Amino acid sequence: MTSQSDSRSEVGPLASETSVDNSNSSDLDLPNILYIQNIPIVSAEKNAELNARIKSINSWLAWELTRVEELVQTKIKSSELPADGSVDSKSRRTAYRHKVVSNHRGGSLWITKSSTQNSVSETVVAEDNINQTVARIILRTLGTDISDSPQVLTVAKAVGASFSGLAQTVQPHVLHLIDYYHDTVRDTIAASIKSFYFKVSLTETVAPAPPPVKGSGILGGIVGGHDKAPAAPPKGKFYKVSVEHTTTSSGFDFDLWDKHDPKDEVRYALGKKLLAYKQLRLLKEL
């Protein structure tokens, strides 16, 4: 369980600046957590401001990732989190990372939380349709947040294709979407942050009953002139797919972050390295 001290709003020193061993990337669970920055094409007079905003977001993310990873590694060393590379162990670490991020942001002065939505989608599908089904649910959940971004749409489809139907365990994935935009009221570049947490559970189950065949049975024989054989039951393995999704929408106060940013890259060197692997920067038209 994450303690209250895990989500301090002040930027203090890490519990142990040298406790994170980043020489081994096998536990970084890189494919499960992804940061996507939607960067607009702006006018020449707004370009310097946009670059400054991107720099602030990157320093914040590097700081956040360093703090999160320090806590994860502490839990691994104390055996409170597993260290192996199984799907179940990676899923537990991803879930913990997401929990720590949520706690950090909930206690951060520069994050203005606006709303959180939770929902669950369930269906039964054949084994070879698992990925398509998960991708469809993810795309439906993301909705208008990706409707104007073909690049984000492609990323979401790739996430849906990554779930393993052979691993009957909870498989979480997290997308952090940072969307820069021109606030025309204040005439400044602003940013919104949306986090999408998907927890996919796969459980082998029986095939759904085949649909009734028109014209079968006694009445069908009378009306149709002959009896029709009932539909054959579906073949192969079937899985119950359950997708829990949480969407959190927030704003970002650049002035408050710039005030608390330690501006010391040594303090969040690990996070900067991780961000290079976990981040996509996409250009979009305003």
Side-chain angles (χ1 to χ4, degrees):
M1 180 177 180
T2 308
S3 65
Q4 183 64 30
S5 63
D6 292 345
S7 57
R8 292 188 300 269
S9 59
E10 295 297 326
V11 181
L14 296 177
S16 174
E17 299 289 353
T18 60
S19 62
V20 179
D21 176 14
N22 59 22
S23 62
N24 182 5
S25 62
S26 62
D27 173 52
L28 299 181
D29 305 331
L30 298 177
N32 298 78
I33 301 176
L34 185 63
Y35 294 83
I36 302 174
Q37 294 201 45
N38 252 344
I39 301 172
I41 300 174
V42 298
S43 59
E45 57 266 25
K46 284 293 179 183
N47 199 52
E49 182 185 358
L50 174 62
N51 289 334
R53 298 304 202 203
I54 294 171
K55 184 177 180 180
S56 291
I57 289 287
N58 284 339
S59 66
W60 162 62
L61 290 175
W63 171 82
E64 182 180 79
L65 280 167
T66 299
R67 293 172 68 88
V68 169
E69 202 57 40
E70 196 272 342
L71 288 169
V72 169
Q73 297 299 327
T74 297
K75 293 290 186 181
I76 290 174
K77 290 177 181 178
S78 65
S79 300
E80 294 177 75
L81 280 176
D84 64 274
S86 66
V87 172
D88 181 65
S89 294
K90 288 183 178 180
S91 297
R92 289 178 59 187
R93 292 191 296 267
T94 296
Y96 181 75
R97 284 182 172 100
H98 173 69
K99 182 179 180 180
V100 175
V101 166
S102 298
N103 284 355
H104 267 305
R105 294 183 182 180
S108 295
L109 298 173
W110 45 88
I111 298 295
T112 57
K113 184 177 179 181
S114 57
S115 65
T116 298
Q117 297 178 329
N118 300 286
S119 57
V120 179
S121 301
E122 293 184 341
T123 188
V124 175
V125 297
E127 184 176 19
D128 56 357
N129 288 330
I130 289 175
N131 299 107
Q132 290 179 333
T133 300
V134 172
R136 188 162 55 246
I137 293 173
I138 289 177
L139 294 176
R140 186 170 65 240
T141 303
L142 293 173
T144 56
D145 293 295
I146 64 169
S147 61
D148 62 345
S149 177
Q151 301 101 318
V152 178
L153 177 64
T154 299
V155 172
K157 288 180 179 180
V159 170
S162 68
F163 291 93
S164 172
L166 303 178
Q168 295 188 55
T169 184
V170 175
Q171 299 175 60
H173 274 62
V174 186
L175 291 177
H176 297 291
L177 181 61
I178 298 130
D179 206 0
Y180 300 88
Y181 62 95
H182 183 198
D183 184 339
T184 56
V185 174
R186 297 186 300 162
D187 191 24
T188 188
I189 300 296
S192 65
I193 302 167
K194 288 196 174 182
S195 296
F196 303 92
Y197 178 64
F198 300 95
K199 191 164 64 173
V200 181
S201 301
L202 304 173
T203 308
E204 190 171 350
T205 185
V206 296
V213 178
K214 184 179 179 181
S216 64
I218 297 176
L219 292 179
I222 295 174
V223 175
H226 59 84
D227 288 329
K228 294 184 178 180
K235 296 181 179 180
K237 291 184 178 181
F238 282 79
Y239 288 83
K240 177 183 177 181
V241 178
S242 176
V243 182
E244 298 179 42
H245 26 89
T246 300
T247 302
T248 303
S249 302
S250 308
F252 191 85
D253 191 316
F254 286 96
D255 291 335
L256 280 175
W257 167 249
D258 289 342
K259 178 181 177 181
H260 290 85
D261 182 358
K263 296 179 175 63
D264 179 3
E265 293 194 5
V266 175
R267 293 274 300 280
Y268 37 72
L270 173 62
K272 186 177 181 180
K273 178 180 180 180
L274 291 177
L275 190 60
Y277 291 99
K278 292 175 177 284
Q279 177 179 244
L280 292 175
R281 296 173 64 177
L282 309 176
L283 291 176
K284 68 169 185 177
E285 297 282 353
L286 275 179

